[in-house]
Structures are given as structure tokens and as C-alpha cells.
């Protein structure tokens, strides 16, 4: 059974703080191992990648087989049934349409001093996408990472995906194909991240690496950050549902379980002003857990990290939700727009009972790569912006320099940066000569 | 003397690659020390911060003196001469005006399936700004970090700035005051970063930490990343000037020196199709170095990392510049706009000979916190966006769910995420009952 908390109980604040502070992930300290792997790949290139892949993935490769060939990709994706392909294509189309709207505008203007100012957006030239192998090898994540990159205008897009024991997920290859990925490497782990960051004889380095992975991948991304760009370091998934109790409890139970089934460390929280509804949802969860294929995982997550919180009203529910800053927030209430207006911190909001979170995982359009572990307080989900960068522009005229240059010179002198001041002064003096 | 390279020489590619690959910064491995400091601050709070400040900054503090009092701030800033104050206020006003234009728009629309989609931007609630003490304690950096935060709508803004031996820079306090900073703590180093990330009895934790610092500060920021947001990890400063040779060589020399004087690890590069002009600039640099206050620092930087590169034409200059992806790029040419259109990777572009880079450091308007060490390939300067986060929004109607729900269900089944599929199916079944 999950925790049941009542916000009007005297002990609530302590219990809620404990829930917020819960450490759900045991990050093993793999930093030394990862540092050695990265150094090895930098030094020995392909040979190191091949050796590490043999060791960790039980796969004997040669340089020519690091990447899937066109023929291999075609053969694999031919095995995908038509309805799965159609579903993937619908998802891709909707994700593309949403992300195309995110493209930011360039700007350029002249200000009162006569200075011309602005900025310009440009795409990152190349990106690498990490796709986990095995159980968490999700084709939907390929779409969610690759499509924003292509919409941004990234020209060269590589995927790395380990194939332990040679097992390939054809849907991952198809998703990469649909999204416009150029090269797919059958490698993973810290060695794949190192290869993407530094390049090898056969693997071209990229400018940015995104995508989820295990502790080794996360540590490797943290280490290569600076050499290349990275996205966030993702933690276990979370959902918070605020429900007014006017929905079928089974729907809410399934929504909670759809996070819980990801991972034993996932967290599902229901907040409702209707205590009886909270109990009904908990019963529905137990009933569903009896037959769910992933009942071991989902059951452990729900038991260890799940919570049902009863509040005085929806306003209090929104305030508590903001303290959680959930990755996914479902508002199963009569007026979800009004409640959403009260929410400040959430990665994604799903409005109303007809919007189960799972829609957002696949076909909604918004990205499903979202800030976890309360980081929605300060960060956003993946977007086109993650594959763009901004160059600022400034152009002074002689009269603009005359207007604002002396202040720059003054501040340079204050900061003991003489050459800074002189670079402005030399030009001002020329203007005064004229 | 700096390196002189000619792009038409047979050995050029090797020499240019070596220049690109030059390691300019010796990052000492302080990770273990920093980990211990962070653990200490988490465990012992104020007591640890005070002890570490006594040890590293030779400052005896008590909890009540961790923050500057209003009276102390007033007394310090009263010492600032009127012209310095006016220059700082002009800078603040121009930085504010530029960054106000960066505020992104919310979006909401209905798509063909009848789904309502969009996103909403919101400010991070609190931010902490690291300001180095001593020589690199720049009031302009306070403005460049704090103003975007305030424009974004950050409510609570703290500054940490060490005051070794009790030495305070009144201009830093004034800049913080002008920018709207709420609290200024006289602490620094990894202990200040830890205090901002985790909080102590008297220091409230913040959601994001920005600002430059030494190796300890950088290592601490890297460690607390995830717990809080951080900005980039800044490296030594760089400038690249492309000049057509029609400018006074002394101007270009001063522009190159205005980066070189920052730091012995700074890098200044001139690219020009006019070999004689390149020589003239180098002579002008030597002449200026004779009298420059920071001639030791600037001379070392110019000698060790400076370069003059002669190209066939401006087009080739632009291509080489893109391989450097410089933090600051000055285009001292007759038609800077045309040349800028050829540039893809640069943190900031300064257009034309009347726009010395130093203008951008202080009063131009654009941010001077910019991507270093070739990271302009994949990242941008500090902006209002760094203090905002996006929440995505999705709302399905019954008919929208009917249209796209089956594809979500199909993909959930493919990914063996049964509850995901059931959460959609339960709703679709209800629709079919009606």
C-alpha cells in the first residue's frame, strides 16, 4: 500500500517533506570506471569501442560493422507490421507539427542611441542520440529526441543503441529512419558517449549528445559536458494527478500505474480533496495490479513511492503539486484550465480526464523528455531550442559610440581593464579629431 | 610573438588544427576536495561555511554577518563616485532593454484532430549568482547575470561574493543594488555554491546558480547540477577579429589586447587577407604592450595563444572562424553584415570597426556571459531564457482521443507498457459505450 496523507493532519508537513526528500535512485559511483573508459576510447578509438562492446554487450564487432548498413536497416524494418508503422508515423507527424511551432524568431532593431542590436538563431551542426538497449529501448524516445533536432535544422544526426547479444529492436531502427537519423551505431554505454564526444577512426564526433541511459551513460554525459553539449541528466519518471473525484477511479489508477510500470523507482502521486475517491483509486490500483504484466515493477513503485494525499480543496492541491514540481501533471478536474493557471512548476500538464498521460508519451505532440526529480523548478522538457544556439549581434555607429562609449571606458577603468578602455578611447579620439 | 599562419601554406592545416586543439587551461583536479566541502556544508550548515571562510578567506564571521546588512551596503555604495554610478546605471538600463526583448511568447492552439496544445513560460523562483572576489570581481558581470534573472521574473536573487581579508568592492554591491539583488553574502568558493544549492540555517537555497568562478567553483557547480540548475562552465575568454585591413591597426591591436589582458589563458586571434596589415597589427600590439598596466598577463596570453592568420579572402576567413567558434567575433570590414551572414558559430558578433568588443562587455546591451572553448558550436550566451522554464500543455477532447488514442495504445503495446495502453483503452471503451 502507498502512503495515505491528509493535509489537515498535524503531522502532514513532516510526512510531506519526507515524501519530497525521498531518495528514489541509488546512483552507484561509477565515475572512476567511466573516466577510464573515456580515456581508453580517446586513446585507442575503434579498438577500445570494439573491445568494450565485446565485454559489456557480448558482441564481436569490426570497424565496418559499428554502424548498421542500409541493407540491415531495411531488412529489420521490413519486419515491422503495418499498423505499428502507421502508429509511429502518426506520432512522428504530430511531434513534428508541435515542435515546428517552437522555432524562435531572429530579432534586429535600432535603439535610441542609434546602435543596431539583435540576435540570430542557428542550428547545431551535428547531434548524437543515446537510445538504451533492452527493456527500455523505446522507439517513441527516438522520435522525441530526433525530431526536434531535425526541425531545428541539425544536418547530421547519429544514434547509438547497444544490441546486447545481437538483439535489435526493429522499431527503434524504423523510428530513426522516420525521424531522419543518418547513422545508427550498435554500441552503447560510456564507450558510445565517448565515441560521440571525441570521435574514433570510423565514428564522427558530434556537437551535442542527448537521450536517456543508465548510470554509466549519465556519468559519461556529465564528464563530456563542455566538450560537447548534453541535455538533462534524467532520473526516474514521475506522475502527479490532481483529481476532483468526478472521474472513474479506474482511469486514475491506470494513469498512476502507467508511470509506476516504468521502473521500481518511479513515483505516482494522487492529490484529491475527496478522501473516498482517494480510497477508491487505491483499491482500483490494487485490482489492476493483480493482472498487470509488469505488476512486480509497478507494485514495488506504488508500494515504496506512491502516495494518496487528501487536501481541503483544489487550491491546496495545486500548492502541494508546486512543491513536488512533477515531471507529468494530470489535472482530472472539471475546469482544468482554471487549475492549470494556479500551477507554476511542472514539466508537462495534461488537462482534463480525456488526456491520459500516455497520450503525451506517444502522440500528443509535446515532448516526452521532461525534467524529473523536482527539476521542473528550473528546467524544461526537450525542445527545438536544445538544438539551436543564439548569436548576439551589435553594431555601433560613430554617434552611438559617442553616446555610450564613455560609460564603457569608465567601467573598464573601474575594473582595471585598461586595454578595454583604450579600445573605446582610440575610436572616440578619432571622432573628436573630425 | 604570436603564431603567424598563412592559410595557403602546405603546413597550414596541421598548424591550424594544433591551434584549435590547444589546451589553454590547466584544470587542477579539485573534485575530491570539493566533494568533501559540499558534504560538510550539507551536514553542518552555517558552522561549516563559517569555518571554511575563515580558512580560505581569512575572515571570521558569525551567522548574522554572512549577509551584508542594509547599512553596510549603503555605506559601501556611498563611496562610489557619481560618474561611475552613472556609467553603471547606463549599462544596466541598456542591458535591461536588450533582455526585455528576449521574453518568449506563450502559445496555445487547436490542431486538426481537435487537440488543444501549447506551452507556457514561467520564471524560476529563486537564483543565486556567484561573483568572484579579488581581481576578477567585475560589477559588469553582476549586471549581466542579475538583470536577465529579474527581467525573467525571478523573485528572489542572492549574490555570493567572497571578500578575502575583508576587502569589498563597492561597485559590486552597487551593481547588485541597481540590478535588484535581494541578499548579498560575503562568502565564496565551493562552500558558497553548496550553501546556495542545499541551504543552511541562515542561507536559503536557490533553484539555479549562475556566474563564473575558479576551478573549485566550477567543480562545485558541476556537482550540484541536477539538484539545482547551473549555467555554463566558463573557460578563459577569447576574441577573434576578422579585418579587411582598412582600419587603424592600433584599434585592432587594442581589441586583441582587451581579451589578452583578462587572463594568461585568454586567446586573441586576428584573421585577415592582408598580410601587411597583419604584421602592422602585431607591431601595434608590441608597442601597446610596452605601457599596458597588465602587460605581463596580456603579453603571456598573446605570446602563448595569440595568432595572426592570413587568408586568401574574407570568405576563407569566415570558414576558419567557424572552426574556432569564437566567444567574441569582431568583423572589422567594410560590409560586416554580408560577412556576418557567412558566419555560423560565434557567441557574439561585433559588426564594423566602430564596435569594439569592449562595448559589448559593458554597455552594448547583449549579454557578455558567452560560450567559451568552442562551445558556441552548441550553446548560447546567458539570456532571459536561462531564468525561465517551459511547461507544455495538452488537452484532448473525446473526439481527439478517438482520433489519435488508438495509435498511442498500439505504441504502448509495442513498448510492453501495458498500463499506458490500458489508460487510453479504458477511455476509448467509454466513448464506444455512448
Amino acid at each position: 500500500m502507498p502512503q495515505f496523507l491528509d493535509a489537515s493532519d498535524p503531522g502532514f508537513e513532516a510526512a510531506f517533506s519526507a515524501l519530497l526528500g525521498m531518495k528514489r535512485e541509488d546512483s552507484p559511483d561509477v565515475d572512476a570506471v567511466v573516466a577510464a573508459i573515456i580515456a581508453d576510447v580517446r586513446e585507442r578509438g575503434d579498438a577500445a569501442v570494439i573491445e568494450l562492446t565485446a565485454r559489456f554487450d557480448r558482441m564481436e564487432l569490426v570497424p565496418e560493422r559499428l554502424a548498421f548498413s542500409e541493407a540491415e536497416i531495411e531488412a529489420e524494418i521490413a519486419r515491422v507490421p503495418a499498423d505499428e508503422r502507421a502508429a509511429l508515423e502518426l506520432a512522428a507527424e504530430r511531434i513534428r507539427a508541435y515542435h515546428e511551432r517552437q522555432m524562435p524568431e531572429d530579432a534586429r532593431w535600432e535603439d535610441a542611441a542609434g546602435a543596431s542590436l539583435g540576435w540570430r538563431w542557428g542550428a547545431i551542426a551535428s547531434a548524437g542520440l543515446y537510445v538504451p538497449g533492452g527493456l527500455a529501448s523505446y522507439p517513441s524516445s527516438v522520435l522525441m529526441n530526433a525530431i526536434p533536432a531535425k526541425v531545428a535544422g541539425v544536418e547530421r544526426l547519429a544514434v547509438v543503441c547497444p544490441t546486447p547479444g545481437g538483439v535489435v529492436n526493429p522499431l527503434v531502427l524504423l523510428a530513426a529512419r522516420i525521424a531522419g537519423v543518418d547513422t545508427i551505431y550498435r554500441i552503447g554505454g560510456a564507450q558510445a558517449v565517448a565515441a560521440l564526444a571525441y570521435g574514433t577512426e570510423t565514428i564522427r564526433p558530434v556537437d551535442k549528445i542527448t537521450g536517456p541511459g543508465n548510470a554509466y551513460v549519465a556519468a559519461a554525459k556529465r564528464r563530456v559536458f563542455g566538450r560537447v553539449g548534453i541535455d538533462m541528466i534524467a532520473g526516474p519518471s514521475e506522475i502527479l494527478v490532481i483529481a476532483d473525484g468526478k472521474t472513474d477511479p479506474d482511469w486514475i489508477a491506470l494513469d498512476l500505474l502507467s508511470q509506476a510500470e516504468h521502473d521500481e523507482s518511479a513515483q505516482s502521486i494522487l492529490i484529491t480533496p475527496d478522501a473516498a475517491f482517494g480510497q477508491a483509486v487505491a483499491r482500483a490500483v490494487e485490482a489492476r495490479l493483480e493482472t498487470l504484466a509488469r505488476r512486480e515493477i509497478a507494485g514495488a513503485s506504488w508500494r515504496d513511492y506512491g502516495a494518496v494525499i487528501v487536501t481541503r480543496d483544489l487550491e491546496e492541491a495545486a500548492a502541494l503539486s508546486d512543491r513536488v514540481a512533477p515531471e507529468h501533471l494530470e489535472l482530472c478536474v472539471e475546469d482544468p484550465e482554471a487549475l492549470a493557471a494556479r500551477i507554476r512548476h511542472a514539466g508537462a500538464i495534461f488537462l482534463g480526464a480525456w488526456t491520459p498521460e500516455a497520450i503525451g508519451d506517444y502522440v500528443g505532440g509535446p515532448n516526452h523528455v521532461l525534467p524529473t526529480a523536482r527539476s521542473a523548478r528550473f528546467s524544461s522538457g526537450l525542445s527545438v531550442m536544445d538544438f539551436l544556439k543564439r548569436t548576439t549581434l551589435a553594431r555601433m555607429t560613430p554617434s552611438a559610440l559617442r553616446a555610450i562609449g564613455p560609460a564603457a571606458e569608465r567601467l573598464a577603468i573601474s575594473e582595471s581593464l585598461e586595454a578595454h578602455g583604450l579600445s573605446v578611447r582610440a575610436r572616440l579620439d578619432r571622432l573628436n579629431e573630425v
Side-chain angles (χ1 to χ4, degrees), chain A residues 15 23 34 77 83 91 140 144 189 202 261 271-272 278 289 291 296 361 426:
Chain A
K23 194 168 159 55
V34 165
I77 68 182
D83 65 332
S140 57
M144 291 289 182
T202 58
E261 74 176 344
I271 308 187
T272 178
L289 275 174
T291 58
E296 297 290 333
D361 281 338

Side-chain angles (χ1 to χ4, degrees), chain A residues 151-180:
Chain A
V151 168
V154 172
E155 290 118 3
R156 187 165 61 82
L157 197 53
V159 157
V160 292
C161 180
T163 58
V167 178
V168 177
N169 182 346
L171 272 179
V172 163
L173 300 189
L174 178 57
R177 174 57 49 93
I178 288 172

Side-chain angles (χ1 to χ4, degrees), chain A residues 36-67 160-162 185-204:
Chain A
I37 290 175
I38 293 174
D40 194 21
V41 172
R42 287 185 70 172
E43 199 182 309
R44 298 196 299 129
D46 283 346
V49 172
I50 287 169
E51 227 174 271
L52 291 159
T53 303
R55 191 187 316 160
F56 296 122
D57 295 340
R58 308 171 312 282
M59 282 280 291
E60 296 297 336
L61 291 174
V62 289
E64 305 73 51
R65 291 201 67 234
L66 283 171
V160 292
C161 180
Y185 297 103
R186 53 183 120 221
I187 57 174
Q191 60 273 23
V193 174
L196 287 175
Y198 291 98
T200 68
E201 301 90 319
T202 58
I203 299 170
R204 285 176 70 189

